[in-house]
Amino acid sequence: MSPLLVLSLALPAAAASALAYILMRRQRAGAPAAPPALEEQLAALEQRISDRLHDMDWRHASVLDRISATTDSLQSDIDWLTGERMIEQAIQLARKGAEPEAIAGEVGLELEEARAIARLRRH
């Protein structure tokens, strides 16, 4: 669970707990309970805080989705570049006369791929 999600869930709960604690202390002290208007204001404030936290969560989720998409794109580019580099190394080994088994073992290609590269590079 992300820290932001925990915070967004904990903050309204903490505000409600603090409000309940204050009201209980007033009742124990013999003071009259908060007038209904104050309770309504506090409930409205709690709702606004909850709405803002929900909005923040939505914006953070949106940003995290964009970061994830960018990371996926970068991973795809790295995979492509790695594949290109493996093929270049296999071609160099084939030009030097290396056997397909040696090419496959050193570069990390499948044996059939190494055989195809070795056959093509001989011509």
Side-chain angles (χ1 to χ4, degrees):
M1 191 177 279
S2 75
L4 277 168
L5 182 59
V6 171
L7 180 63
S8 67
L9 295 174
L11 194 57
S17 297
L19 175 63
Y21 177 75
I22 290 169
L23 291 175
M24 283 181 13
R25 286 199 57 174
R26 285 186 181 174
Q27 285 177 349
R28 285 185 187 163
L38 180 60
E39 288 179 6
E40 290 173 7
Q41 288 176 346
L42 290 173
L45 180 60
E46 181 182 2
Q47 184 61 43
R48 284 183 21 216
I49 290 171
S50 177
D51 291 345
R52 286 223 175 149
L53 288 172
H54 177 72
D55 185 48
M56 284 174 39
D57 283 345
W58 183 82
R59 282 185 273 153
H60 288 140
S62 175
V63 169
L64 288 174
D65 287 343
R66 285 194 310 244
I67 290 171
S68 178
T70 302
T71 303
D72 290 344
S73 175
L74 289 172
Q75 183 63 47
S76 175
D77 290 347
I78 289 171
D79 291 344
W80 180 80
L81 288 171
T82 302
E84 287 290 312
R85 183 69 183 135
M86 288 171 53
I87 291 171
E88 288 175 7
Q89 288 176 337
I91 290 170
Q92 288 175 357
L93 290 170
R95 284 182 180 157
K96 292 179 183 176
E99 294 296 319
E101 292 79 11
I103 294 171
E106 188 165 331
V107 177
L109 293 174
E110 296 289 327
L111 183 57
E112 290 302 315
E113 293 171 330
R115 284 182 182 150
I117 289 172
R119 268 188 251 126
L120 289 174
R121 286 299 141 199
R122 286 186 189 145
H123 299 289

